[in-house]
Amino acid sequence: MAQGLLIDMDGVIYSGDALIPGADKFIARLLEQKIPFMFMTNNSQRTRVDAVRKLEKLGIKVSEDHVYTSAMATGKFLASQIPGGTAYVLGEGGLISSLHENGITLVNSDPDFVVLGEGRNFTLEMVQKAVDMVLAGAKFVITNRDPSPKKKGWDNLGIAATSAMIEEATGVRAFVVGKPSPVMMRSARKALGLETAETTIIGDTMDTDIRGGVQMGYKTILVLSGITKRDTLSRYAYKPDLVIDSVNELNLPLTWW
C-alpha cells in the first residue's frame, strides 16, 4: 500500500541550521512524484511561514500546506473543547497566531485555559499568575513536553521544566497536545487527508515520533541522523518498522507489504 508521510524536521531534515546531507534531494523526490507529505514539528513558537523560510534557506522549497505544528494542533484542540473560549498564554509567535485563528481569545484573568508553549520571555511573575489561574479552575494545556537540550547557554528552560513548576505548584497534571500525543498525531494525519493504514511517520526520536506512530498504528521509520543512536534501541519496549541512517536512503514511492 502506497504511503503518505509525516516527517519530523530537526534531526531528520536539518540539524540546527545545517542541512542533513541528501534531505533536500529526498524532499525534491517527494514533490516530483506527488507523494503526500507534511512536516510535523513540536515547535509551537515557529509559525508555518517561519518553517517554510527556514527550509528555503536550506534549499528546500515547500508551501505552508506542507507544515503542521503543535501550535496548530493546540488551537484546533482548544476550539473543539470550548468553542470561542479564552486562554492565558505563556508562549509566542505560532501559538498565539493559531489560537487567534481558531477563535480563542487571549485574556489576563479568569481564562478557560492556561496554555504553555515555547518562549524566551517568561517571568516568574507570569508563571505564578498561571499557577493561580489553574488553582482557580483553568484547564492546563501544554503544546508539548519536550525537555531542555541541557546545553550550556541555552536561552530558555524548555516546556518540560516550566510545566513541572506549574504542575508541582498546583497538583494538576498538564494535558499534552504535541507528539507523541494521539491528539496531534491524528490531527496531522487528517490534515494530510490520509487513513491510518496509509500513514508513515519519519523521525529521529524514539520517545516522540516513533512512540506516537506505534500508538496510532502508523508505520514508523527511525533515522539515525538526529539524537537516537542504534545501540540504544534495545532499551525500548517498542521498535520502529525500519531503521536507516538518513532519509536519503529511502526508495520512493514507499510501499509496505
Side-chain angles (χ1 to χ4, degrees), residues 42-109:
N42 259 357
N43 189 313
S44 64
Q45 193 171 13
R46 185 182 299 140
T47 65
R48 298 173 100 178
V49 173
D50 293 334
V52 168
R53 287 175 178 169
K54 175 164 186 172
L55 290 167
E56 189 171 8
K57 289 179 181 178
L58 297 172
I60 298 173
K61 293 186 178 182
V62 294
S63 72
E64 291 180 39
D65 290 337
H66 285 114
V67 177
Y68 199 82
T69 72
S70 64
M72 295 168 62
T74 299
K76 289 180 182 295
F77 173 73
L78 297 191
S80 74
Q81 298 299 299
I82 304 180
T86 60
Y88 178 70
V89 179
L90 298 173
E92 301 169 10
L95 177 58
I96 292 173
S97 296
S98 177
L99 296 183
H100 280 308
E101 290 168 4
N102 284 278
I104 303 299
T105 301
L106 274 58
V107 296
N108 286 310
S109 62

